[in-house]
Amino acid sequence: MPTLPKHVAKGLILTIFGSLIISCAIFFIFLKGSDIVVVPNLSGLYLEDAITELQDKELIPHVEFKFSSTSLDKGKVIDQNPKAGTVLRLDNRVTIFISKGAVINKVDSFIGKNVDDVLINLKANETSNNRVLYHVLKPIEVESELPKGMIIRQDPSPGTEITSLIDLQFLVSKGQKEDLVKYVKNYIGLYYKDAVISLLNDGIGFDIKLATGSDFGSVILQSLPLGTKIEDSDKLIITINEPKIDDLSVFGILVYKLDVYPSNVDMMIRVKDSNGGSSLLYAFSSKGGFVKLPYEALRGSILELYIYDKLINQTVVN
C-alpha cells in the first residue's frame, strides 16, 4: 500500500485539527447567539444546589418529590427531565425529582441509638413525608451499664411488618446508679405498713413473720439491730403482730415469684374495690424474685400488681 509523503500527511493532520477548532468555535458562538443552553447533570445534588445550578443556566426549575429505594438519597435529585446534555433555549423548564427517602413498610431498628435523637428524627420524618408511621409511647427507663439514653430494646421488634399505625415502646438506659451504703433503721413499734414502706424506699430486702399480741399490726422484732450496714444480698426479717380487722376485711401477705431483672424496675400494688374504684397500696422499685407484701383489704377486692404501668397479676381477696 503506497505511503503518503510526510509533508502531505502532516498537512492533512493540521487541516483536520484546524477544522475541529473552527467547528467548536462556531458551535459555541451559535449557542450564545441563539440563547441556547445545555442542561447540566443534576443527579445527586441537594435540592438547593440543583435549583442554583439551573438558575445559573437561566433555566426554570420545577420540583417534584417521590419515594426511592433507599433512605440515603433523601433530599437529593434522583431524576431529571429533560436529561443532562439536552440542548434547550433559555427560560425553559427542567423538572427535577427529589427523593423523599425509602418507602418504609417494616419497623426500623432503633436499638443502640440515643432515644432523644430517634424521637427528633421520627418527628422530622413525619413532617417531611406527611406520613405518620409510629405512635411513640413513653419510654421505659431502667438502670444499666449502657450510656444514659441508649435504647436497649424496642417493641415491636425490628423488621415487623407495618400494616397500620404502630405503638412503639422503647426500653431506655438511665445509666448506672451509684451503690449507696444502706443501714438498718429501728422498725420496732412502727405500724407494719409504715415499716414496709420505709424498707421498700430504702431498697432493703426483707421477709415477714407473723405473731399474735395486743399491739395489733405493729413490728415487735427485727433480725438486725439499728445501724447495721446491709448489702443487697442481705435480708432483714421483721416480726409483726397481726392487725385487728372487722369481718368485712381480710389481712394477708401477697407472695409473688417474679423474674429476676438485671436492674430495678418500677412496681406498684393497687387495690380495686367492687365498685371499680382503685387506690395505691405500695409503689417501689425492685429487681424482682420473691416479693412478700402484707395487706389489708375488703373482701371481694382485687389486688393488682403493675410493672411499669403494665398489669401483671390480679389477686382476689376472699
Side-chain angles (χ1 to χ4, degrees):
M1 182 175 179
T3 303
L4 291 174
K6 287 186 178 180
H7 68 279
V8 175
K10 186 175 181 181
L12 285 173
I13 292 172
L14 290 174
T15 301
I16 293 170
F17 184 70
S19 299
L20 288 174
I21 293 175
I22 293 171
S23 298
C24 290
I26 293 173
F27 176 73
F28 286 109
I29 292 171
F30 173 77
L31 286 180
K32 184 176 180 181
S34 304
D35 293 332
I36 291 177
V37 67
V38 177
V39 176
N41 181 14
L42 306 171
S43 179
L45 295 182
Y46 282 102
L47 173 60
E48 297 83 356
D49 297 331
I51 290 176
T52 300
E53 183 76 15
L54 290 174
Q55 289 175 340
D56 288 345
K57 299 289 185 181
E58 297 186 51
L59 294 170
I60 300 172
H62 175 74
V63 181
E64 293 187 13
F65 293 89
K66 65 179 183 179
F67 289 104
S68 60
S69 59
T70 174
S71 60
L72 298 178
D73 56 16
K74 184 177 179 181
K76 297 180 180 179
V77 177
I78 54 174
D79 198 5
Q80 65 182 79
N81 185 31
K83 300 295 184 183
T86 303
V87 177
L88 294 178
R89 290 189 178 277
L90 300 181
D91 296 326
N92 267 355
R93 188 174 77 170
V94 175
T95 301
I96 52 176
F97 298 91
I98 305 298
S99 171
K100 295 170 66 176
V103 178
I104 302 174
N105 54 15
K106 292 184 179 180
V107 175
D108 292 319
S109 176
F110 303 103
I111 297 171
K113 299 178 181 178
N114 180 274
V115 66
D116 292 331
D117 294 340
V118 168
L119 295 177
I120 291 171
N121 288 334
L122 288 177
K123 191 66 177 178
N125 287 338
E126 288 177 9
T127 302
S128 61
N129 294 336
N130 196 27
R131 186 183 182 204
V132 179
L133 297 173
Y134 304 113
H135 171 233
V136 182
L137 304 177
K138 182 180 179 181
I140 297 171
E141 293 186 321
V142 296
E143 293 172 16
S144 168
E145 295 180 357
L146 296 173
K148 183 177 181 180
M150 179 179 287
I151 296 173
I152 302 171
R153 193 165 66 238
Q154 67 180 73
D155 183 30
S157 57
T160 301
E161 294 287 338
I162 296 178
T163 57
S164 60
L165 185 65
I166 294 285
D167 282 339
L168 186 60
Q169 179 81 73
F170 295 133
L171 185 69
V172 178
S173 170
K174 61 179 180 181
Q176 193 169 16
K177 186 177 180 181
E178 295 182 4
D179 292 332
L180 300 177
V181 178
K182 293 176 283 190
Y183 296 94
V184 173
K185 297 176 182 177
N186 181 30
Y187 306 101
I188 295 175
L190 293 179
Y191 193 69
Y192 77 87
K193 187 174 180 181
D194 295 328
V196 167
I197 290 174
S198 178
L199 289 165
L200 291 173
N201 288 340
D202 291 342
I204 295 176
F206 63 93
D207 199 353
I208 297 171
K209 289 184 177 181
L210 297 179
T212 56
S214 59
D215 200 1
F216 298 111
S218 295
V219 177
I220 60 171
L221 189 65
Q222 62 186 62
S223 61
L224 297 173
L226 170 68
T228 302
K229 182 179 178 181
I230 192 164
E231 306 291 341
D232 287 340
S233 58
D234 296 332
K235 184 168 287 189
L236 175 71
I237 300 173
I238 58 173
T239 303
I240 62 175
N241 280 337
E242 292 191 28
K244 189 175 183 179
I245 55 174
D246 57 39
D247 293 337
L248 299 177
S249 300
V250 173
F251 170 77
I253 296 180
L254 286 168
V255 179
Y256 297 113
K257 184 179 180 181
L258 305 175
D259 293 335
V260 177
Y261 303 99
S263 57
N264 286 336
V265 297
D266 293 337
M267 302 184 185
M268 65 178 174
I269 310 294
R270 300 192 68 88
V271 182
K272 187 176 181 181
D273 61 35
S274 57
N275 296 321
S278 179
S279 60
L280 181 66
L281 184 60
Y282 296 111
F284 57 99
S285 294
S286 171
K287 291 184 178 180
F290 279 101
V291 177
K292 296 177 69 173
L293 297 168
Y295 69 90
E296 293 176 59
L298 293 173
R299 295 183 186 277
S301 299
I302 299 175
L303 301 176
E304 298 180 325
L305 168 66
Y306 291 84
I307 298 180
Y308 286 126
D309 297 327
K310 183 178 181 180
L311 181 61
I312 301 298
N313 180 276
Q314 290 182 311
T315 302
V316 178
V317 177
N318 292 316

